[in-house]
Amino acid sequence: MKVSAVGFGCGGLMQAPFRKERMAVLGSAVEHGITHFDTARMYGLGLAESELGVFLRTVNRDAVTVATKFGIDVGGAARRLGRFQAPARALLRKAPALRRAVKRQQEPDLTPRRYDAGAATRSLDLSLAALGVDYVDILFVHGPRPFDTVASDELGEFFERAHRQGKIRAWGVSQDEGLEVDFARAFAPRGVSQVRGDLLGPPPRPADLAFGVFNRAYTTLSAALSADAGTAERWRETLEVDPLAPGVLPRLILASSATATSCRAILYSSTDPRRVADAAQAVSSPPDAGLLRRFLALAQQLRPGPAA
């Protein structure tokens, strides 16, 4: 199975408060060659899968690949609230202070999770119904942490059975934190591995897909260059291009992320169709290899050192 070099991450899809905007950004992805879509049961307070499903009915299903995940869900109350998130998100978009206050209230859930065949079976059937499809291309174990339990033997049997039933084409692990524990190893060599990483903090091992490649890298690099005129000038001289010129830094980050993370493909997310188009172009028509090598060498100097 092949996926596009840039996939579209649906984690923030519902941040666009209106369906017309959401369909526009998904349409921009396909128009510019992004044909892999990554979602999960929990995304968009449980509504991202069904929203992606609306879009999938407008395209050739066999021309796109779809990944979803199981193991992290939202409760019934959150799902009911999800129906009202469009006006809420529209309000938060206009009130940055309120948006920051809401984010501060979001505490991480440290309750241990168990990933087993029963949970996977129930979640997959719900995902297929929400997406309105007969199969998904990849089913991921969603974000296991070092203190979680992954019943790999029974999950391996479940994945094989679901594959024979035509419900999934591939399976694997999408890991966000605690990367020192390699949960994907249990499903090698057939399993698909997806990890968080960027050019400032590459994952500890190669993987098939990387997510989270853009935001932290862009925020950190642009802040460093804006804060220090000497650093900005040194980068301009080395790169022979102004990294702070509009669009330059995003293009360099996206074009170099697969190499920097040692992953075959990357995921990108935005609610702006133009940025999705720019991301696709950055990877399909990258700057010359010499420029990217110089950029990665400069960026490596800004990587955080090991914790004391």
Side-chain angles (χ1 to χ4, degrees):
M1 184 177 64
K2 294 181 179 180
V3 303
S4 53
V6 183
F8 184 86
C10 294
L13 179 63
M14 302 304 291
Q15 290 178 12
F18 304 110
R19 173 163 289 175
K20 182 178 180 180
E21 296 174 343
R22 299 190 287 267
M23 295 301 107
V25 76
L26 294 171
S28 178
V30 170
E31 180 183 352
H32 294 93
I34 297 176
T35 57
H36 179 66
F37 296 89
D38 179 272
T39 187
R41 290 294 300 150
M42 67 167 293
Y43 288 173
L45 294 180
L47 296 183
E49 282 185 325
S50 59
E51 195 70 4
L52 176 60
V54 171
F55 175 73
L56 292 176
R57 289 193 285 275
T58 69
V59 299
N60 177 3
R61 172 66 182 92
D62 293 334
V64 299
T65 52
V66 177
T68 194
K69 312 177 188 74
F70 77 93
I72 306 177
D73 208 339
V74 294
R79 284 185 180 274
R80 288 189 290 274
L81 286 173
R83 292 177 296 174
F84 305 101
Q85 64 184 300
R89 290 188 187 278
L91 173 62
L92 292 174
R93 179 184 284 184
K94 297 177 181 179
L98 179 59
R99 185 167 65 247
R100 290 192 294 269
V102 170
K103 286 186 177 181
R104 285 196 294 269
Q105 296 299 316
Q106 296 175 339
E107 296 293 332
D109 180 9
L110 298 180
T111 304
R113 296 190 289 261
R114 177 177 174 81
Y115 301 82
D116 57 28
T121 300
R122 292 188 295 272
S123 186
L124 175 59
D125 287 342
L126 289 169
S127 290
L128 293 175
L131 289 161
V133 298
D134 297 324
Y135 69 94
V136 292
D137 297 277
I138 310 171
L139 179 64
F140 284 117
V141 178
H142 192 182
R145 302 157 299 182
F147 54 87
D148 292 330
T149 299
V150 176
S152 55
D153 289 342
E154 64 177 83
L155 280 175
E157 294 176 0
F158 161 77
F159 288 141
E160 294 283 1
R161 183 168 61 253
H163 181 263
R164 290 194 299 271
Q165 294 170 340
K167 292 183 175 182
I168 63 176
R169 294 179 63 203
W171 57 88
V173 178
S174 179
Q175 200 168 344
D176 192 349
E177 55 184 295
L179 294 179
E180 66 275 9
V181 179
D182 184 4
F183 285 105
R185 181 183 300 174
F187 306 107
R190 296 181 63 189
V192 180
S193 56
Q194 179 168 290
V195 295
R196 176 180 291 278
D198 62 25
L199 56 86
L200 298 180
R205 55 190 171 273
D208 295 302
L209 296 115
F211 63 95
V213 301
F214 183 75
N215 286 345
R216 184 183 77 142
Y218 177 75
T219 300
T220 301
L221 294 181
S222 60
L225 294 170
S226 298
D228 189 331
T231 298
E233 180 59 30
R234 180 165 57 85
W235 279 50
R236 276 192 291 270
E237 293 178 354
T238 302
L239 299 176
E240 299 179 349
V241 64
D242 183 1
L244 293 176
V248 171
L249 190 56
R251 185 171 183 239
L252 291 172
I253 291 171
L254 290 166
S256 61
S257 286
T259 297
T261 59
S262 299
C263 294
R264 300 180 184 183
I266 62 172
L267 298 181
Y268 178 76
S269 181
S270 175
T271 56
D272 186 337
R274 293 169 299 181
R275 291 184 178 179
V276 173
D278 290 342
Q281 184 178 31
V283 175
S284 63
S285 301
D288 73 81
L291 173 57
L292 291 181
R293 282 195 299 270
R294 297 195 301 274
F295 169 70
L296 285 175
L298 290 169
Q300 189 168 10
Q301 298 172 18
L302 295 179
R303 286 181 181 176

